[in-house]
Amino acid sequence: MSTETHSPIDGLQRFLILLCVSIPSFMINLDSNIVAVSLSSIAHSFNADFADIEWVISAYTLTFASLVMPAGALADRYGRKRILIVGLAIFTLASFICGAAPNVTALNAARALQGVGAALLLSAALATLSHSFRGADRARAFAFWGSVIGIAISLGPVVGGYITEHFGWRSEEHTSELQ
């Protein structure tokens, strides 16, 4: 079991918790939408066929979807903060590997690793929000978090198109980490 306790938190701590869970959630949603916009540039860059490029999305989605629930159990067992940090490290490392991928196979493997990091991030973020806020404060915290995700989803195609056109798809993996 986690060693975390239920202690009251003040307004500044709550705001910092919201930021610490919302920023990584923003990153994973922005990244997913940026990559979707860039698929044709990625295919052209690697001279890849449709099946190869389909795995750019599928490798991420499959690992992410299959690991969200187990990642939540890890957050409960080893601590939400620890799993959030591990997930962020994995996601960030995988993003840099994506940008440096020498071929589509390496890119797809790195995207699968990104899915692992994203699952850890999302599970820990949701568990942290649920644990840190009660009642009406919880509803407001989830509304804020959901709004941040909505903004990321809305910006993803625009940011992805701009980056792809002006800097190339490889810079997106690095840029999404700076958002």
Side-chain angles (χ1 to χ4, degrees):
M1 274 297 181
S2 173
T3 58
E4 298 174 75
T5 60
H6 292 275
S7 61
I9 55 176
D10 65 23
L12 178 60
Q13 287 175 315
R14 287 176 186 221
F15 179 71
L16 292 175
I17 288 168
L18 274 174
L19 287 180
C20 287
V21 300
S22 297
I23 291 171
S25 298
F26 179 88
M27 286 172 28
I28 63 176
N29 284 282
L30 182 69
D31 180 77
S32 294
N33 286 285
I34 286 175
V35 170
V37 170
S38 306
L39 289 176
S40 63
S41 293
I42 294 169
H44 181 73
S45 173
F46 289 128
N47 196 27
D49 62 18
F50 178 76
D52 292 332
I53 294 306
E54 185 176 41
W55 277 104
V56 172
I57 300 296
S58 297
Y60 176 89
T61 304
L62 287 171
T63 56
F64 174 75
S66 63
L67 295 176
V68 169
M69 294 297 286
L74 290 173
D76 289 342
R77 183 172 184 114
Y78 297 108
R80 293 173 293 278
K81 181 180 177 182
R82 179 178 293 150
I83 297 302
L84 185 74
I85 292 168
V86 168
L88 183 60
I90 291 171
F91 187 85
T92 302
L93 175 66
S95 294
F96 284 112
I97 295 170
C98 286
N103 55 49
V104 74
T105 303
L107 175 62
N108 290 338
R111 289 286 292 161
L113 186 60
Q114 264 189 323
V116 172
L120 292 170
L121 278 169
L122 184 64
S123 294
L126 292 173
T128 299
L129 285 178
S130 292
H131 174 75
S132 301
F133 297 90
R134 299 281 180 256
D137 288 340
R138 181 182 285 173
R140 283 189 288 277
F142 273 98
F144 178 85
W145 179 79
S147 296
V148 168
I149 288 177
I151 291 167
I153 290 169
S154 298
L155 287 177
V158 175
V159 172
Y162 181 83
I163 291 171
T164 301
E165 185 171 325
H166 296 286
F167 303 104
W169 74 266
R170 289 186 185 274
S171 63
E172 293 162 9
E173 295 302 325
H174 303 295
T175 305
S176 68
E177 291 309 311
L178 301 175
Q179 299 295 330

